[in-house]
Amino acid sequence: MNTIAKRIYDFLKDFPPFNMLTRHQLFSIAEAVEVGYFEKDQALFNIDQAIKNHFYVVKNGAIGLYTSQGTIVDQCDEGDIFGLRALLRKDNYILDAIAIEESIVYSISSQLLEEYITTNSDASRFLMTSFISNTKQLESDASSIVSSEFTSLQSVDYSKNPITCTIETTIQSAAQIMTDKRIGSIVIEKDSKPIGIITDKDLRIKIATGRFSISESVSKIMSSPVITYQKNTTVAEAQIAMLKHQITHLCITEDGTNNSKLTGILSEHDIIVLRENSASSLVKEIKRSATAEQLKAIRAKAEKLLKRYLEQDLPIEFAAKLISTINNVITQKIIDSAINKQDTKPPTEFAWLAIGSQGRQEQLLLTDQDNALVYKDVSKDKQEATKTYFLNLAKQINNDLATVGFKLCPANMMSSNLKWCLSVSEWNLQFNRWITIPDQDNLMLCTIFFDFEHVYGNKTLIEKLAQNIFKSIENHDIFLTYLGRNALQNPPPLSFFRQFLVEDDGEHKNQFDIKARSMMPLVDAARLLILSHNIKSTNNTVERFKKLVELEPQNKDIYLFCIEAYKDLLWFRTEQGLQNSDSGRFIDVKSLSKVDRLKLKQSFKAVKSVQELIQTRFKLSQLM
């Protein structure tokens, strides 16, 4: 081994998965590694660039991975691997890789990956674990990143009716079956267990070339033994298995071994189709769309995607972020379209905010719109014309969102309402009034608006609003006491006899309001407590409770209890909404299984715990 290869070997042997390889395997890789030097700000690869046939290891320096907006989602330091996901995805890069400082990077080819790493069980297992568990990118608001992580975590959607034949079947008969069924593979079975597989590639390489006669048994050309997995195999696992064994099909069996009954077949094409029906594909469709009607059809696909995620038991908070991202991209497309329909461009800078559940990234189902618009202050002589412009623009946007499926808000909490379409100064005055006169109506308006997310336009305008809001709260600390009182308006929803408190009358008589009676008490509690710590940037309920765990370790158990309860409630409401094709808000308790009723009641205990904490902290016992 030459000196350079020896140095590479000595470096790699201290980092996984290279430290799991045999001495021979690692020596072979070290001899073939390409060494690259990159100056600060130099790019290794860029978004949408075709993948290179390599992945990378940082030797010295640091490489940043960035979204198209320039947001850094990961920093790779000494020994870190990057570029592997794109290689396994066989798709274009979805991030920019740029040197944060002068860096030396080792480049390792996919051939070396296949030959030495994926064939090593320990190294392959490490790659699998890191591929699935590394969720740093999920914290980014870039839709393509969120969706690629979700696609990796999804269970594969395989063919449930595999076409099979016996070992006695001739190659000609097998080929005829494949032609008639229009399939690319056929599994050879014995006692309902898979013992081999033939693909189109086998027919091309082994039959079309004349190596074997079509009159011979399939046993002459079949690949055996087959590679088998269980039905809950993830996309990531399937991709790595195909790469490791250099195959294009996996057999799905009852227990994941070739000694149990065949239940399905998964092809490389199936994974490609799954990607085409993933969130990243939907985002691309959104950007290519031309009308609100087209966006409506895409949003319906997102609902189907959500249903599949629930069936596969993906974490509900990840699904919520995913759907929230899709909703935001749809809104952005609608705003761009609405601006183009106006006679003139916007007279000044503005920003569009999602508020309420969408602002918290918790709007999984199609529910009412809640949004607001803020625009930059203009001179007095331009105020009327500017307000008229943005009200007309907002009306167009609200109507187009309604066409997509987001109903107009019955309470008119939308940007087309004069009260929700204001300049920065006007918003500041309105907020100050809400906070200094905290009656029931103003408290309600505050709670809705405190959960906001920037969707479009100048983010600086929103940051200025947030600063003024917190300044007003600091100057009127009694406001948090009133907000605390408001957070206790909905106690745990069980009667004296531990029965569910249901609606007494109206359209939803005898139904349980999961939003008002279970979810909002936790939403209100998380908001109040995070505001009391002067935290401005965290709006999501689960993220708020996670932050509170850090800030108040003495109350860790309560907040962890609230996190799990809220996840359960969000999952339950979403499942009910998908089943009944509605918002999932009102539930027929009698239709619930005993397990579901117990699960709901368990979440009420979390409500009780956190409300007792609020009652004590804000000295509200005398107000109850």
Side-chain angles (χ1 to χ4, degrees):
M1 177 181 287
N2 61 48
T3 304
I4 294 177
K6 179 67 168 62
R7 289 175 181 170
I8 294 171
Y9 171 89
D10 288 338
F11 175 80
L12 292 178
K13 68 179 175 60
D14 293 327
F15 298 96
F18 306 104
N19 60 356
M20 303 170 187
L21 304 179
T22 66
R23 182 180 176 85
H24 169 72
Q25 289 172 329
L26 188 51
F27 272 145
S28 299
I29 289 174
E31 288 179 327
V33 160
E34 296 178 13
V35 182
Y37 169 78
F38 297 88
E39 296 181 352
K40 183 181 179 183
D41 298 328
Q42 184 177 350
L44 283 77
F45 53 76
N46 296 109
I47 293 169
D48 291 332
Q49 180 182 337
I51 61 166
K52 301 172 184 176
N53 199 29
H54 294 77
F55 69 99
Y56 305 93
V57 183
V58 179
K59 168 63 169 69
N60 295 118
I63 305 297
L65 302 179
Y66 298 86
T67 68
S68 58
Q69 290 79 30
T71 303
I72 188 166
V73 296
D74 201 1
Q75 178 174 317
C76 303
D77 302 306
E78 184 178 293
D80 286 342
I81 293 174
F82 65 97
L84 183 60
R85 277 183 173 79
L87 193 61
L88 295 175
R89 260 197 339 267
K90 300 181 180 178
D91 199 358
N92 292 352
Y93 291 111
I94 62 172
L95 295 171
D96 290 325
I98 300 173
I100 296 174
E101 56 190 72
E102 289 185 59
S103 303
I104 296 175
V105 175
Y106 291 158
S107 175
I108 302 175
S109 72
S110 59
Q111 182 180 347
L112 294 171
L113 173 70
E114 294 171 15
E115 189 172 353
Y116 297 113
I117 299 178
T118 59
T119 55
N120 180 293
S121 58
D122 290 335
S124 181
R125 193 177 302 113
F126 169 82
L127 287 181
M128 175 63 60
T129 302
S130 62
F131 193 96
I132 295 173
S133 65
N134 181 8
T135 58
K136 280 185 181 181
Q137 294 178 346
L138 280 169
E139 302 307 317
S140 167
D141 60 1
S143 58
S144 58
I145 298 170
V146 176
S147 61
S148 68
E149 290 289 349
F150 263 85
T151 302
S152 302
L153 290 164
Q154 286 183 65
S155 297
V156 290
D157 190 9
Y158 58 90
S159 172
K160 309 297 192 300
N161 299 299
I163 304 302
T164 64
C165 66
T166 65
I167 194 74
E168 292 81 18
T169 304
T170 64
I171 296 171
Q172 182 179 18
S173 296
Q176 189 62 55
I177 293 171
M178 291 168 66
T179 301
D180 293 343
K181 299 291 185 180
R182 297 182 179 181
I183 55 172
S185 65
I186 189 168
V187 180
I188 295 83
E189 277 188 323
K190 183 177 181 180
D191 300 328
S192 297
K193 300 172 184 176
I195 60 171
I197 187 171
I198 293 174
T199 67
D200 282 335
K201 185 178 179 181
D202 293 317
L203 297 178
R204 291 196 309 271
I205 295 174
K206 301 173 183 177
I207 302 302
T209 57
R211 289 171 59 191
F212 296 93
S213 167
I214 60 174
S215 62
E216 294 191 71
S217 163
V218 290
S219 62
K220 292 291 184 177
I221 66 168
M222 71 181 187
S223 299
S224 182
V226 295
I227 305 302
T228 57
Y229 273 82
Q230 290 178 296
K231 65 179 181 179
N232 59 351
T233 298
T234 66
V235 173
E237 289 174 314
Q239 286 179 299
I240 288 182
M242 289 179 183
L243 181 64
K244 175 179 178 179
H245 299 285
Q246 299 184 44
I247 56 176
T248 56
H249 292 75
L250 298 177
C251 288
I252 307 298
T253 61
E254 287 183 342
D255 67 2
T257 73
N258 53 15
N259 291 317
S260 63
K261 183 180 178 181
L262 177 73
T263 59
I265 186 79
L266 172 71
S267 70
E268 191 172 47
H269 175 71
D270 293 328
I271 294 176
I272 293 171
V273 169
L274 178 61
R275 270 196 228 107
E276 289 175 348
N277 288 282
S278 67
S280 58
S281 174
L282 295 186
V283 167
K284 290 176 183 176
E285 283 191 58
I286 292 168
K287 292 179 178 178
R288 291 194 299 264
S289 65
T291 67
E293 288 293 341
Q294 290 176 342
L295 292 171
K296 179 179 180 180
I298 296 170
R299 186 55 180 77
K301 290 182 183 179
E303 202 114 313
K304 293 179 180 178
L305 195 64
L306 175 61
K307 186 175 182 180
R308 192 166 76 228
Y309 290 151
L310 261 64
E311 289 171 350
Q312 295 175 352
D313 289 328
L314 283 179
I316 191 66
E317 67 272 27
F318 290 172
K321 287 185 179 182
L322 177 71
I323 299 300
S324 176
T325 299
I326 291 174
N327 290 343
N328 284 351
V329 177
I330 287 174
T331 304
Q332 290 160 7
K333 181 68 177 182
I334 284 175
I335 295 173
D336 280 332
S337 177
I339 291 173
N340 290 333
K341 291 175 184 176
Q342 305 303 307
D343 294 333
T344 60
K345 295 296 181 184
T348 188
E349 294 179 326
F350 76 101
W352 185 274
L353 294 78
I355 53 181
S357 60
Q358 177 61 6
R360 295 192 302 272
Q361 297 183 322
E362 295 166 6
Q363 187 183 35
L364 288 100
L365 302 167
L366 283 167
T367 55
D368 298 339
Q369 302 180 40
D370 289 311
N371 42 61
L373 189 150
V374 54
Y375 55 88
K376 192 174 181 180
D377 287 303
V378 295
S379 58
K380 191 172 182 179
D381 61 308
K382 296 180 180 178
Q383 287 176 0
E384 185 176 349
T386 300
K387 186 172 292 293
T388 299
Y389 178 93
F390 283 118
L391 283 171
N392 289 334
L393 177 66
K395 185 176 181 180
Q396 177 74 59
I397 295 167
N398 288 148
N399 287 338
D400 285 347
L401 284 171
T403 299
V404 172
F406 298 98
K407 296 178 182 178
L408 297 174
C409 176
N412 204 20
M413 292 177 184
M414 299 179 295
S415 296
S416 53
N417 182 345
L418 187 64
K419 295 180 181 179
W420 298 85
C421 179
L422 302 170
S423 68
V424 174
S425 296
E426 290 171 330
W427 270 117
N428 287 337
L429 288 172
Q430 181 156 273
F431 267 117
N432 192 60
R433 184 170 65 254
W434 288 348
I435 291 169
T436 56
I437 310 172
D439 58 27
Q440 193 60 40
D441 289 339
N442 286 348
L443 283 171
M444 184 268 292
L445 293 170
C446 281
T447 57
I448 293 171
F449 205 97
F450 281 153
D451 301 338
F452 67 83
E453 180 185 24
H454 170 262
V455 175
Y456 187 98
N458 188 336
K459 197 170 185 178
T460 304
L461 300 176
I462 299 173
E463 291 171 350
K464 287 180 179 178
L465 276 185
Q467 290 170 2
N468 281 301
I469 290 169
F470 279 87
K471 186 176 181 180
S472 292
I473 292 174
E474 288 174 12
N475 293 335
H476 301 86
D477 52 5
I478 189 67
F479 172 75
L480 289 180
T481 301
Y482 281 97
L483 202 61
R485 182 178 182 179
N486 186 69
L488 302 182
Q489 293 300 308
N490 287 309
L494 289 174
S495 69
F496 180 78
F497 299 103
R498 299 198 58 75
Q499 299 299 311
F500 285 83
L501 291 175
V502 295
E503 301 304 294
D504 294 328
D505 50 32
E507 179 186 354
H508 302 288
K509 184 177 180 180
N510 296 325
Q511 291 183 317
F512 177 69
D513 186 345
I514 191 172
K515 175 186 174 182
R517 295 189 179 275
S518 300
M519 299 179 73
M520 291 313 297
L522 291 174
V523 170
D524 291 340
R527 181 194 303 112
L528 168 66
L529 292 165
I530 209 73
L531 286 174
S532 72
H533 285 282
N534 203 32
I535 302 296
K536 304 178 181 66
S537 58
T538 306
N539 295 337
N540 177 268
T541 302
V542 169
E543 294 301 321
R544 280 171 166 168
F545 279 124
K546 286 181 178 179
K547 187 66 177 178
L548 288 166
V549 170
E550 296 177 21
L551 297 169
E552 302 175 23
Q554 71 276 18
N555 296 316
K556 176 181 177 181
D557 291 343
I558 293 175
Y559 296 143
L560 290 177
F561 193 11
C562 289
I563 289 171
E564 294 309 310
Y566 195 74
K567 287 180 184 179
D568 287 343
L569 291 166
L570 190 58
W571 188 94
F572 195 80
R573 179 182 177 180
T574 305
E575 182 188 47
Q576 290 288 307
L578 291 172
Q579 286 178 0
N580 301 315
S581 299
D582 59 21
S583 70
R585 176 171 179 172
F586 294 96
I587 298 169
D588 179 6
V589 179
K590 293 179 181 178
S591 69
L592 301 180
S593 67
K594 184 177 180 180
V595 172
D596 285 337
R597 286 198 298 271
L598 289 173
K599 198 171 185 179
L600 275 177
K601 286 183 178 180
Q602 182 70 10
S603 69
F604 303 160
K605 295 180 182 178
V607 173
K608 182 179 181 182
S609 297
V610 76
Q611 287 190 342
E612 287 176 348
L613 185 153
I614 289 171
Q615 190 173 341
T616 301
R617 177 171 302 179
F618 294 94
K619 300 180 176 62
L620 297 171
S621 57
Q622 67 272 25
L623 301 176
M624 297 300 292

